[in-house]
Amino acid sequence: MWVGLCQDEEEMKAMENRKELTYLIFDLIVKQLEETPEQDRIISRLEVADSALELTLKTGEEYRIDVKRLNSPSDEKERMPLLDHQREEESGKRIPAEHWDELAQSCETVIQFLEYDKRKMEELSELVPDFPWKKRSRMIDDVLEQLRAALSRIDPDWE
């Protein structure tokens, strides 16, 4: 005699597994956060919502981590359009690693140039006082700050 789960029972079991996995991941993240000094934590809020985790970074960015079983017949229909949509979104954002390295190097070169330009500007400000040197200096500082922040986000070892 073969005993199997009916579809409703299978779905219930799958739902229980997703919830169990969601709480397991939640516990792992909480444990990691507890072991991390407050100033080094990037997550400011973490919450379980159904079979998903919702988290907010200290920067204010919000994320949702959905826990779903792969290759399940009912999920496959939902997953395929999502994957197609993700591919469309990502297609405009892909860049080969060597180009990314070139971009990072270009940013570093611009930073060096701006720092040099700012030093020269300070020297020239004594010779040509009528030029808006302070405004230009603030603009260079802003650009330098943005470039440094961008480089530190893409390469944590930078600087």
Side-chain angles (χ1 to χ4, degrees):
M1 178 176 154
W2 181 79
V3 179
L5 296 174
C6 73
Q7 187 146 357
D8 290 338
E9 290 174 341
E10 286 179 17
E11 288 176 12
M12 289 292 280
K13 183 68 174 166
M15 188 168 33
E16 288 174 18
N17 287 342
R18 283 194 310 266
K19 283 188 178 188
E20 188 174 330
L21 285 171
T22 302
Y23 278 100
L24 174 64
I25 294 168
F26 174 83
D27 290 340
L28 289 171
I29 293 172
V30 167
K31 183 178 185 226
Q32 179 67 36
L33 288 172
E34 287 173 344
E35 293 173 359
T36 304
E38 178 69 32
Q39 67 274 13
D40 294 338
R41 296 179 189 169
I42 62 168
I43 298 173
S44 64
R45 184 186 70 78
L46 177 65
E47 185 176 319
V48 175
D50 296 321
S51 293
L53 295 171
E54 293 179 355
L55 47 100
T56 305
L57 302 184
K58 283 185 177 179
T59 62
E61 294 174 279
E62 296 179 325
Y63 291 88
R64 180 179 178 93
I65 302 169
D66 291 311
V67 177
K68 291 187 177 181
R69 183 176 145 209
L70 295 179
N71 302 325
S72 128
S74 62
D75 289 343
E76 192 65 29
K77 292 175 189 171
E78 296 172 14
R79 203 165 72 90
M80 292 309 287
L82 178 62
L83 290 176
D84 290 341
H85 178 70
Q86 286 173 334
R87 282 190 197 110
E88 286 174 12
E89 279 185 5
E90 292 173 359
S91 65
K93 298 177 187 175
R94 291 187 183 179
I95 182 170
E98 61 273 6
H99 294 159
W100 190 257
D101 293 339
E102 289 174 20
L103 178 61
Q105 183 59 45
S106 296
C107 286
E108 178 63 30
T109 302
V110 170
I111 288 172
Q112 290 172 359
F113 171 76
L114 288 172
E115 289 172 339
Y116 167 81
D117 190 332
K118 187 174 178 190
R119 285 191 304 274
K120 287 296 179 185
M121 224 176 39
E122 289 169 358
E123 293 172 14
L124 286 173
S125 68
E126 296 171 10
L127 300 173
V128 186
D130 294 340
F131 190 81
W133 298 109
K134 288 182 181 180
K135 181 178 180 182
R136 182 180 165 128
S137 179
R138 282 193 303 270
M139 289 172 59
I140 289 174
D141 286 340
D142 290 345
V143 171
L144 282 168
E145 184 179 319
Q146 291 170 12
L147 286 170
R148 285 184 181 120
L151 278 174
S152 67
R153 279 194 301 273
I154 63 171
D155 183 3
D157 297 329
W158 180 81
E159 204 167 349

